[in-house]
Amino acid sequence: MRKDAARNRHRIIEVARHYVDDGKPLQLNDVARTASIGVATVYRHFHTPEALLETVAHPAIEELVRRAGQALTEPDPWTALRAFLAAAIEALLTDPAVPPVFSAVTDSLEHTGDLKRGLVTAFTELLARAHAAEVIDSRVTEADMAPLMCGVAFAANVHSALDPAGRAAHGLRYLELLLNGLSARASR
């Protein structure tokens, strides 16, 4: 990529990041205007607002993939599962680009799909390890966890007056309460 094209791409992503953080709709024409870059240039880099949103979310999702990898190296299955779910809650509550990307039915960028599939694979393995070690209620399935995690994030977002770190702290507390209820000890 030429230096000017790389600079433009960086500026577009930077402006989009501010839009997302401020809760503004991500419209490519608006981003172009704010970035002082031609609309055609923005569309050349990002064909849709969804592709731009996914690009903005990629650093947080890549960090979550990294943390999933760390969790997979943790020998204790319960600690590993808790660490991964805590990282997921933190990502959901501290980066407003992440929830809409995770909830999208389709992905605009192949890289996004790869990242999401990697997370699903890691979570499947972490949950299977927790089941095998009998540290989580055997009735808890992968399908159960997505709405439960959404519920934790929703409950933490009720405190929307808090900054992202404050919401994440509430989310982690709620996650801990949820996991205490899902542990195999609680089901006995």
Side-chain angles (χ1 to χ4, degrees):
M1 189 179 290
R2 294 184 340 236
K3 283 186 180 182
D4 61 332
R7 218 177 9 258
N8 284 341
R9 180 179 172 81
H10 176 75
R11 179 70 181 139
I12 294 163
I13 295 168
E14 180 181 63
V15 167
R17 172 87 262 171
H18 289 292
Y19 269 59
V20 171
D21 289 344
D22 293 342
K24 295 179 184 176
L26 200 56
Q27 301 297 324
L28 297 182
N29 290 1
D30 295 340
V31 170
R33 190 172 22 264
T34 303
S36 300
I37 294 174
V39 173
T41 300
V42 173
Y43 277 89
R44 244 189 326 276
H45 287 281
F46 303 99
H47 299 301
T48 65
E50 293 79 15
L52 180 53
L53 179 65
E54 289 175 21
T55 301
V56 169
H58 279 169
I61 299 171
E62 288 167 346
E63 173 62 14
L64 185 54
V65 168
R66 186 188 70 73
R67 291 184 66 188
Q70 284 180 325
L72 288 168
T73 66
E74 167 60 49
D76 178 56
W78 183 248
T79 301
L81 181 64
R82 286 176 62 208
F84 173 71
L85 294 176
I89 285 296
E90 287 176 5
L92 287 167
L93 294 172
T94 59
D95 189 336
V98 172
V101 170
F102 277 169
S103 65
V105 176
T106 60
D107 301 315
S108 295
L109 303 174
E110 185 176 333
H111 184 56
T112 305
D114 293 341
L115 292 171
K116 288 165 71 173
R117 282 185 293 280
L119 289 171
V120 168
T121 299
F123 175 68
T124 299
E125 184 175 336
L126 291 166
L127 186 59
R129 285 177 51 200
H131 279 140
E134 297 181 347
V135 294
I136 193 165
D137 188 325
S138 61
R139 297 170 294 179
V140 176
T141 67
E142 291 174 52
D144 294 329
M145 290 306 296
L148 290 172
M149 292 293 286
C150 289
V152 168
F154 177 81
N157 275 321
V158 168
H159 301 285
S160 59
L162 297 174
D163 64 355
R167 284 192 303 273
H170 274 87
L172 292 172
R173 180 175 176 275
Y174 299 152
L175 176 64
E176 192 62 33
L177 293 169
L178 171 70
L179 290 174
N180 285 337
L182 296 178
S183 74
R185 291 181 306 272
S187 65
R188 291 183 183 147

